Amino acid sequence: MVSMSQERGRENLKRYEDINARVKRGDAVVLTAEEFIETVVKSGLEKAAKEVDVVTTGTFGAMCSSGAFINFGHAEPPIKMWHCWLNDVPSYRGLAAVDAYIGATAMSESRGFEYGGGHVIEDFVSGREVELRADSYGTDCYPRKYIETSVTLADLNQAVLLNPRNAYERYSAATNSTSRTLYTYMGVLLPEYGNITFSGSGQLSPLYKDKGFETIGLGTRIFLGGGIGYVIGEGTQHSPQNQFGTIMVKGDLKDMKPEYLRGATFSKYGTTLYVGVGIPIPIINEAVAASAALSDEDIYTNLLDYGIPSRDRPVLRKVSYKELRNGKVIVNEKSVPSSSLSSYKMAKQIAEQLKQWILEGTFLLTHPVELLPAYREVKPLNLRRAEPKVGDVMTREVITARLTDDIKDVATQLIQKGIDHLPIIDEGGKLAGIVTSWDLTGALAYGKKALAEVMTRKVITAREGEAIDIVVQKMAQHNISGVPVVDDENHVVGILTTDDISRKVVGRRFT
Amino acid sequence: MRLRLTYPHGYVQKPILAEAIIKLGVPLNILEATVNTKKGEIIVSVEGPEETVEKVVQFFHEKGVGVEKFTYILEIDEGKCISCGACVSPCPVAAISFKPDWTVRFDQEKCVGCGVCVQACPVRAIKLL
């Protein structure tokens, strides 16, 4: 690993000092990544790599792992804030008396999805007054127990944007195979592969333009939220070997602009913050130049089915950013409309702004103190405690009926056994339908006699190995209170009802 | 072109729309239909030149059905819009697209007023009036 990190970042085409000397003199060659791609096409990689000093990048997307550290200053009499809200959004208070962290995804206790930590940050940067409310238990040194006032960004001692994970190198695209509309962090996904959403700026993506992580590291000076920021390390879930690198960044909120920090809502998902990030890539060697020259057609990602509510979503196909940005992607021989969630228009604007700063000589490049890791294992969270599955909770002694059974006998069964759901099986013992006490009430009301007329044929089922939470969500979506559990051959092996769950699972979790 | 047809009480049971399609030979696409005890209201779209639209308008007038040209009014706050594109692919009628400079563009003429874009917009820049 040591030799690897020494090999990365070779300055055999240009040294940082020389680039900065040219920036100061005003004769550095600075291009946006889009312009650099064109230059390489025109004059070849070798020539472009020699002539161009810096390539600027940009991205403007929803970055949930974002937030700001704030110091409010002390009131008279002073308070050790215990719970603290900014515009009714709870902030993290496990710090010293008047320090807090407002996270982008924290949601307002009164406005829910429509206003969150991201919006608080945008309001601060816009110069608006923000309501501050905090309580305390009171101590000898901090006697005050409650405070309610308003603050502006100018009032704060420190307001530091510090984002644990930003600027994903690329991101998986999303679609939905199910028959209902999904509301996700990838936006609105229409049923039956109705649309595709994606994120990231592809050929302008800061981290993809240095995919070998040869120039980006601790101390890299960047464009952050319209001001100056720094990379302070790898971001959480950094996975550079898979081209899913991320960065942790910080910058002074007081110098940022609301245009580049926007509070946002993903309906029925939550709140977040759109963050503008731009990184200058010094063309120190040919490998860096080759990476900076990659265009949307060279950058691929996986299209995932968000209809599968699992950590391991199936990959439907590989797709390039070019196809995604064109707005039409072929899935299962059908042309599906695609669109981004991050703004390419703003990404271009950021790359252009950063280029201007460097050309003006006001933004100098920094040599990273330490490069980001080029390899990181990404581990899932393994569950060490046994968690009940459907098979552990379901009722195995399931009472069923045959298609040919008399409706009156079926009704008698339900009453005598005290149950609400009765799976109907065919001659082969396979699930054919389900009848509930409600269906039988309907049969009585409308004078229906045959079981086939009354039963529901499109049965929502569960499998023994399925997680309880997934089945609970399924039942809520279909507004039902029980599901037959079937095996691979569609034989009924049990039944799971809300009654089973409330007795055997919920009791265990909350008592 | 979209038309809002208003059927007075008692007209709802008459197959006037079907008659219009058969007699005029103009395809009319029903986008929305509401019928209640007081009246019926249908939003249809008519494809074709102005004379065709006029012919259709004339026909419904003669039958005693109220006709008015109809557009859904989407209000986009351009100061708020970040041109992200979250509303583009969910739009079922491709009324939202990108300009060559990647600014989001809305086509009022195509809009059917479903409101999916309102929910899809992360910065709440769209209102359906």
Side-chain angles (χ1 to χ4, degrees):
Chain A
M1 285 305 283
V2 173
S3 67
M4 209 171 131
S5 64
Q6 278 170 347
E7 210 176 300
R8 281 192 292 141
R10 281 163 299 135
E11 295 165 60
N12 50 8
L13 273 183
K14 284 170 220 98
R15 295 187 311 150
Y16 287 81
E17 296 90 310
D18 300 331
I19 293 173
N20 277 336
R22 283 195 282 279
V23 171
K24 282 184 205 158
R25 282 204 307 269
D27 59 8
V29 181
V30 186
L31 297 180
T32 67
E34 277 188 342
E35 292 164 342
F36 185 65
I37 292 165
E38 278 178 44
T39 304
V40 169
V41 169
K42 266 188 233 149
S43 32
L45 183 63
E46 205 180 325
K47 191 160 178 273
K50 273 190 197 130
E51 287 172 2
V52 177
D53 290 306
V54 185
V55 170
T56 63
T57 63
T59 189
F60 188 70
M63 304 189 194
C64 286
S65 263
S66 297
F69 278 107
I70 286 168
N71 177 277
F72 297 108
H74 288 286
E76 179 57 32
I79 183 169
K80 175 181 188 282
M81 295 177 180
W82 186 20
H83 301 110
C84 168
W85 295 264
L86 289 163
N87 282 348
D88 229 12
V89 179
S91 71
Y92 179 69
R93 276 294 311 123
L95 300 163
V98 291
D99 280 343
Y101 184 79
I102 180 79
T105 67
M107 287 191 271
S108 158
E109 289 183 355
S110 47
R111 294 166 67 190
F113 287 136
E114 294 305 313
Y115 190 91
H119 298 90
V120 172
I121 292 170
E122 181 187 334
D123 279 342
F124 267 131
V125 177
S126 302
R128 295 187 195 109
E129 277 193 15
V130 171
E131 296 297 315
L132 165 65
R133 183 161 56 85
D135 64 17
S136 177
Y137 44 84
T139 71
D140 288 341
C141 39
Y142 292 112
R144 184 190 282 269
K145 288 191 169 178
Y146 188 73
I147 193 164
E148 207 177 315
T149 182
S150 72
V151 288
T152 65
L153 187 61
D155 298 328
L156 304 171
N157 286 318
Q158 278 80 24
V160 180
L161 191 73
L162 198 154
N163 306 339
R165 177 167 76 242
N166 274 184
Y168 249 120
E169 198 171 350
R170 60 179 178 139
Y171 208 81
S172 303
T175 190
N176 168 19
S177 65
T178 71
S179 54
R180 59 186 196 96
T181 301
L182 301 180
Y183 297 87
T184 72
Y185 65 82
M186 291 301 285
V188 179
L189 297 173
L190 303 178
E192 324 281 355
Y193 306 107
N195 69 322
I196 292 168
T197 59
F198 67 100
S199 196
S201 57
Q203 60 191 12
L204 278 175
S205 170
L207 301 190
Y208 217 105
K209 302 271 86 177
D210 177 17
K211 68 198 268 278
F213 293 89
E214 301 216 32
T215 71
I216 301 167
L218 179 67
T220 297
R221 185 177 289 135
I222 62 171
F223 173 110
L224 181 62
I228 302 291
Y230 294 89
V231 174
I232 57 171
E234 63 184 294
T236 52
Q237 284 173 217
H238 179 57
S239 178
Q241 71 277 20
N242 298 315
Q243 253 44 85
F244 282 106
T246 69
I247 45 174
M248 195 177 289
V249 299
K250 66 153 273 195
D252 192 342
L253 205 59
K254 294 193 179 200
D255 296 331
M256 295 187 191
K257 295 186 176 66
E259 193 183 359
Y260 299 105
L261 283 176
R262 295 289 303 275
T265 294
F266 281 89
S267 293
K268 301 182 193 178
Y269 175 74
T271 61
T272 185
L273 182 68
Y274 270 68
V275 182
V277 177
I279 302 185
I281 311 290
I283 305 300
I284 54 170
N285 62 45
E286 271 202 28
V288 173
S291 177
L294 293 172
S295 68
D296 276 347
E297 56 195 308
D298 307 313
I299 303 175
Y300 280 82
T301 191
N302 286 328
L303 175 62
L304 303 186
D305 180 7
Y306 274 63
I308 309 296
S310 161
R311 180 174 67 197
D312 304 309
R313 298 189 177 96
V315 176
L316 294 167
R317 57 163 289 191
K318 265 180 79 176
V319 59
S320 73
Y321 271 79
K322 187 178 182 187
E323 290 172 275
L324 290 166
R325 211 171 293 290
N326 271 345
K328 290 272 175 227
V329 173
I330 305 294
V331 183
N332 299 335
E333 292 168 11
K334 184 185 151 194
S335 174
V336 179
S338 61
S339 65
S340 55
L341 301 166
S342 55
S343 172
Y344 195 71
K345 187 191 174 193
M346 292 294 290
K348 278 169 70 101
Q349 192 175 315
I350 289 164
E352 187 57 42
Q353 179 64 70
L354 181 54
K355 174 184 155 182
Q356 290 311 320
W357 284 351
I358 301 169
L359 288 176
E360 285 159 14
T362 52
F363 185 107
L364 292 176
L365 275 71
T366 55
H367 193 301
V369 175
E370 194 172 277
L371 290 174
L372 298 186
Y375 181 87
R376 264 286 185 255
E377 192 186 347
V378 183
K379 291 177 286 196
L381 177 62
N382 291 320
L383 304 177
R384 295 219 168 95
R385 288 182 198 153
E387 201 169 70
K389 301 265 186 199
V390 168
D392 304 321
V393 178
M394 70 182 191
T395 302
R396 285 184 188 273
E397 300 75 38
V398 50
I399 299 150
T400 58
R402 299 246 164 209
L403 260 174
T404 47
D405 285 356
D406 186 73
I407 206 161
K408 202 170 166 231
D409 296 340
V410 171
T412 312
Q413 282 271 12
L414 288 184
I415 293 292
Q416 283 180 349
K417 303 277 164 44
I419 52 173
D420 282 321
H421 305 83
L422 198 67
I424 312 295
I425 52 173
D426 64 16
E427 303 80 48
K430 291 185 182 183
L431 182 68
I434 192 164
V435 162
T436 64
S437 41
W438 179 250
D439 294 329
L440 293 180
T441 313
L444 189 66
Y446 299 114
K448 289 181 181 167
K449 295 260 155 40
L451 208 47
E453 276 184 280
V454 179
M455 73 176 188
T456 302
R457 283 172 194 276
K458 220 181 148 191
V459 192
I460 310 299
T461 61
R463 308 298 288 257
E464 274 197 75
E466 239 177 313
I468 298 289
D469 285 6
I470 298 293
V471 182
V472 166
Q473 197 183 33
K474 220 173 349 185
M475 287 203 248
Q477 273 157 15
H478 293 95
N479 195 21
I480 53 173
S481 56
V483 288
V485 181
V486 294
D487 64 12
D488 288 345
E489 274 88 46
N490 211 27
H491 291 119
V492 180
V493 295
I495 189 154
L496 181 73
T497 65
T498 46
D499 191 41
D500 293 322
I501 295 165
S502 57
R503 278 188 300 116
K504 299 176 201 166
V505 183
V506 180
R508 207 184 89 115
R509 279 190 200 172
F510 295 110
T511 56
Chain B
M1 170 64 67
R2 279 189 302 261
L3 300 173
R4 188 211 304 264
L5 310 173
T6 316
Y7 289 59
H9 180 71
Y11 279 56
V12 177
Q13 279 151 315
K14 296 182 187 171
I16 303 173
L17 187 78
E19 213 182 311
I21 297 170
I22 296 165
K23 285 213 172 133
L24 303 176
V26 178
L28 299 174
N29 188 18
I30 301 173
L31 300 174
E32 213 181 301
T34 13
V35 178
N36 58 35
T37 50
K38 291 194 192 102
K39 59 172 187 180
E41 194 181 282
I42 303 179
I43 312 284
V44 293
S45 79
V46 193
E47 298 290 325
E50 212 156 299
E51 308 96 77
T52 311
V53 178
E54 275 315 308
K55 233 168 43 176
V56 173
V57 171
Q58 194 59 35
F59 181 88
F60 282 105
H61 262 309
E62 283 166 12
K63 292 285 176 186
V65 173
V67 195
E68 52 182 329
K69 289 180 182 168
F70 178 81
T71 44
Y72 289 94
I73 302 166
L74 267 187
E75 195 179 79
I76 298 102
D77 187 335
E78 284 176 14
K80 275 188 178 175
C81 176
I82 54 173
S83 284
C84 62
C87 58
V88 174
S89 69
C91 176
V93 291
I96 318 175
S97 57
F98 283 106
K99 289 187 204 170
D101 73 348
W102 300 102
T103 303
V104 165
R105 171 178 58 193
F106 294 81
D107 186 343
Q108 301 279 9
E109 284 289 302
K110 282 190 187 167
C111 174
V112 291
C114 72
V116 71
C117 55
V118 176
Q119 269 192 315
C121 178
V123 292
R124 301 294 190 239
I126 310 174
K127 278 198 181 79
L128 191 62
L129 302 180

